[in-house]
Amino acid sequence: MVQKSQMRNRTRTGRRTNGSSSTGGSMLRWLSLACALVASVPSTTMADDSVVGETLCACTPSIYSFTLDFNGTCPPIMLNNSLGGIEETTCSVRSTIANASDDLTPVIVTSIQFLDLNQNLLPIGSGNLLLGNFSDGDIVSFTSVTALGSDNVTQIPKGFLAVATGANIIDEPVVNNFLLKFTNDCDIYPVLNVNDTAGWFVFSDLTPPRDELCPAFVSDAPSMAPSVPTTGPPTTGPPTTGPPT
């Protein structure tokens, strides 16, 4: 786990791909990893009558922020799933070359990919690919499609995928990927918690879901309206008079 004293006060957003040859290679490697990971998790058959906000909800964060901890490992993935909002998880830290050493601790991460996955565990949009030189303790963020709000079933994530690639001290490539598969239960919030971990990723800040996508969050949220004391109409009675003088 990353100690506070080790955490850099930097938030990294990286840069998006621009179609260069090096970026194209990164994308191909990432697509190969992502496809293999998603294929390992069974898809879900969704009922045709699902109603967003009633029978199908997104009580997952609208914005994820992670602190990178290069000493993290998986499996296992360390999540507080006591409420049951996560149906299945997959996580690994490994090398991508044959005859690699046992050193799976990166000294640098050069790309991080985040994706929302739909009910068939296929990408929703293009996600976010961050490229740069990311160090231990850096903070990276991802804004989910749910932050925009939608009553379209195809825009409600069933899964969340992250893939980070880097290199160890002898410049061997190492990869951390994890996938979360959600229940989309409308009565469970929170689904994820600060200090949950998945390999090199520590969940450090989680923006709540939109009200209309998660009734459980609405019911638990404190009212922001000021309390006003209830008073009845003023009472009147006969005037009080003293004895005659």
Side-chain angles (χ1 to χ4, degrees):
M1 189 70 66
V2 176
Q3 299 298 321
K4 290 184 179 178
S5 61
Q6 297 175 317
M7 297 167 81
R8 294 171 176 80
N9 190 21
R10 293 188 291 165
T11 299
R12 303 292 298 275
T13 57
R15 59 185 175 86
R16 291 185 180 274
T17 57
N18 58 12
S20 67
S21 57
S22 61
T23 298
S26 297
M27 278 296 293
L28 289 173
R29 286 192 296 273
W30 173 81
L31 285 172
S32 176
L33 288 168
C35 289
L37 185 61
V38 171
S40 69
V41 179
S43 61
T44 300
T45 302
M46 182 177 56
D48 294 336
D49 58 351
S50 296
V51 178
V52 173
E54 295 182 16
T55 60
L56 185 76
C57 292
C59 291
T60 47
S62 56
I63 302 175
Y64 299 77
S65 290
F66 302 95
T67 299
L68 297 180
D69 176 11
F70 289 172
N71 291 314
T73 61
C74 68
I77 190 169
M78 305 299 290
L79 302 178
N80 178 7
N81 189 30
S82 59
L83 298 180
I86 299 174
E87 183 176 310
E88 191 171 350
T89 65
T90 301
C91 184
S92 69
V93 175
R94 60 188 179 87
S95 176
T96 58
I97 62 173
N99 302 317
S101 69
D102 294 332
D103 184 4
L104 299 177
T105 301
V107 294
I108 195 73
V109 163
T110 53
S111 70
I112 301 173
Q113 176 78 45
F114 297 117
L115 271 179
D116 285 313
L117 304 177
N118 67 16
Q119 297 297 306
N120 294 315
L121 296 182
L122 297 174
I124 301 175
S126 59
N128 195 14
L129 176 61
L130 310 179
L131 300 177
N133 293 320
F134 301 96
S135 301
D136 190 25
D138 279 352
I139 297 173
V140 294
S141 298
F142 170 68
T143 299
S144 170
V145 66
T146 61
L148 302 175
S150 174
D151 60 0
N152 189 332
V153 170
T154 64
Q155 299 297 303
I156 301 300
K158 181 67 177 179
F160 174 75
L161 174 66
V163 179
T165 59
N168 63 17
I169 197 168
I170 56 176
D171 205 31
E172 292 176 331
V174 285
V175 176
N176 174 204
N177 51 48
F178 75 88
L179 184 148
L180 308 178
K181 186 177 178 184
F182 308 122
T183 63
N184 294 127
D185 195 307
C186 295
D187 298 321
I188 294 177
Y189 176 82
V191 174
L192 293 162
N193 297 272
V194 169
N195 293 326
D196 284 346
T197 63
W200 306 334
F201 294 89
V202 179
F203 293 72
S204 52
D205 189 58
L206 303 169
T207 301
R210 293 177 66 95
D211 293 351
E212 67 270 23
L213 299 181
C214 182
F217 171 67
V218 175
S219 63
D220 290 342
S223 172
M224 299 303 290
S227 59
V228 178
T230 303
T231 57
T235 56
T236 58
T240 303
T241 59
T245 54

